[in-house]
Amino acid sequence: MLEAGQLNVLEVRNLQVKVSTKRDTLSLVQNINFEVKKGSVLGLVGESGSGKTVTSMSILQLLDRKTTTIEGSIKLNGQELNGLNSKQMRKIRGKDIAFIMQNPMNAFTPVLTIGHQFIETIRSHISCSKNRAREIAIEAMSDVNLLEPAKLLKSYPFQLSGGMLQRVMIAIAACTHPAVIIADEPTTALDVKNQKTVLYHLDKIRVEYGSAILLISHDLGVIAEMADEVAVMQNGRIVEKADVFQLFDDPQHQYTKKLLDARPLLHEDETIIHLA
Ligand SMILES: Nc1ncnc2c1ncn2[C@@H]1O[C@H](COP(=O)(O)OP(=O)(O)OP(=O)(O)O)[C@@H](O)[C@H]1O
Ligand SMILES: [Mg+2]
């Protein structure tokens, strides 16, 4: 039998990120502790500038190595990520952790077509011909409502909108079955119909492959619908962490109460988002 600790796909302990400027060193996030279990969703909420993206970028070691330092421990299935070099991290990012970026343009190489990048990624996971990989990519793109996927594969990243690129990243994740998906505001750039599609597919990947998801969103409706647990960030710290029902029913921290009070009012019998 597995011990409880082994079910944690991602474990972050005492994470602190500092950035050096010309004049001094600033701490961007500190004392960050959380874990995400296999097949579960941890929602990360907090106001703009509270450190959500810095936290996710530090897990992936995507922050500028020259100006930032990361202290603490980031374990993926027991393997320490903090301190791995760029080459080792590239392997992990392509394979074990999928990242749906808030600024998706940065996730793609600008001079290569979407198809080139998508097909290469599939073929680094599954041994198949280019044609087969193209078919898999086209199917995964149709699943997330991307129209004319064959044409999109021939496009360059700058020819797609941010929301489209995020959906391409979700389609890639659906093909690579990562242990962890970090989704930073995956629905913000989308209209309601596409928000639902994206959430539905994230959830489907979780159910089918047991991926753990770190879901960053300022949208408490999305969090209520998707998350099992929620961590609330303020000023670079996690101020409250709880089961989703507990957090919404009985928030403990003053800031969480404020955040919940700022929600648009809903009628009691009205759920916020229907995934089906
Ligand atoms: N490279 C950097 N150098 C200096 N400060 C930075 C750097 N990157 C981020 N910050 C600062 O760190 C803080 C946290 O930023 P972060 O992008 O993580 O916020 P966030 O919670 O993701 O906000 P949002 O909801 O707007 O996406 C902000 O004050 C930001 O200005
Ligand atoms: Mg952010």
Side-chain angles (χ1 to χ4, degrees):
M1 233 179 82
L2 288 170
E3 284 174 30
Q6 285 179 273
L7 290 171
N8 290 335
V9 181
L10 183 65
E11 252 179 28
V12 173
R13 295 282 173 260
N14 301 322
L15 178 73
Q16 177 165 31
V17 179
K18 291 180 195 159
V19 62
S20 312
T21 63
K22 266 189 195 147
R23 268 183 261 148
D24 49 12
T25 303
L26 299 169
S27 178
L28 298 181
V29 300
Q30 55 269 307
N31 267 329
I32 304 292
N33 287 285
F34 62 79
E35 51 281 316
V36 197
K37 295 185 189 70
K38 187 174 163 59
S40 81
V41 181
L42 174 69
L44 193 56
V45 300
E47 66 196 355
S48 186
S50 57
K52 304 180 297 293
T53 296
V54 166
T55 301
S56 59
M57 298 274 280
S58 66
I59 293 170
L60 292 144
Q61 316 264 308
L62 281 173
L63 296 167
D64 179 9
R65 287 177 185 252
K66 287 199 198 93
T67 54
T68 53
T69 51
I70 301 171
E71 289 166 17
S73 164
I74 301 156
K75 282 191 176 162
L76 174 73
N77 281 325
Q79 183 195 3
E80 182 61 56
L81 300 187
N82 195 12
L84 293 186
N85 65 33
S86 309
K87 197 175 159 203
Q88 291 165 318
M89 271 318 294
R90 252 200 310 280
K91 257 192 192 158
I92 287 175
R93 280 199 299 269
K95 190 163 169 284
D96 303 304
I97 308 184
F99 187 26
I100 294 142
M101 281 192 178
Q102 191 171 15
N103 297 314
M105 206 58 89
N106 299 335
F108 293 88
T109 308
V111 295
L112 299 174
T113 61
I114 299 288
H116 183 104
Q117 300 180 60
F118 201 151
I119 288 163
E120 283 304 303
T121 310
I122 290 178
R123 294 185 79 209
S124 67
H125 285 77
I126 313 166
S127 75
C128 65
S129 68
K130 272 194 183 168
N131 277 341
R132 178 67 195 126
R134 186 173 290 112
E135 281 171 17
I136 295 172
I138 286 175
E139 197 183 324
M141 288 167 89
S142 318
D143 278 349
V144 287
N145 274 352
L146 284 166
L147 303 176
E148 299 191 84
K151 197 173 143 199
L152 287 184
L153 286 177
K154 292 194 186 120
S155 312
Y156 289 90
F158 72 87
Q159 294 173 303
L160 274 67
S161 71
M164 287 165 92
L165 289 174
Q166 283 188 314
R167 274 182 285 162
V168 172
M169 287 193 274
I170 291 172
I172 293 175
C175 299
T176 56
H177 319 156
V180 179
I181 299 174
I182 299 179
D184 193 353
E185 300 285 0
T187 56
T188 308
L190 304 175
D191 57 42
V192 175
K193 178 170 165 260
N194 282 313
Q195 282 182 8
K196 286 182 191 176
T197 308
V198 158
L199 294 175
Y200 173 79
H201 279 278
L202 271 178
D203 201 54
K204 197 165 156 217
I205 300 170
R206 180 188 67 77
V207 172
E208 286 182 9
Y209 309 108
S211 307
I213 302 179
L214 177 63
L215 178 64
I216 299 170
S217 181
H218 72 277
D219 186 334
L220 292 171
V222 169
I223 295 291
E225 184 70 45
M226 295 283 290
D228 300 294
E229 289 179 293
V230 187
V232 182
M233 284 192 79
Q234 183 190 28
N235 294 332
R237 293 172 193 274
I238 291 179
V239 293
E240 180 165 1
K241 195 169 55 174
D243 170 271
V244 67
F245 295 109
Q246 197 188 324
L247 189 108
F248 278 80
D249 288 349
D250 187 19
Q252 298 298 308
H253 196 276
Q254 211 48 43
Y255 175 68
T256 313
K257 290 181 190 168
K258 236 176 70 188
L259 210 61
L260 292 178
D261 283 346
R263 251 177 329 173
L265 281 177
L266 290 168
H267 298 296
E268 261 182 15
D269 56 352
E270 193 180 343
T271 41
I272 302 158
I273 287 175
H274 295 284
L275 290 183

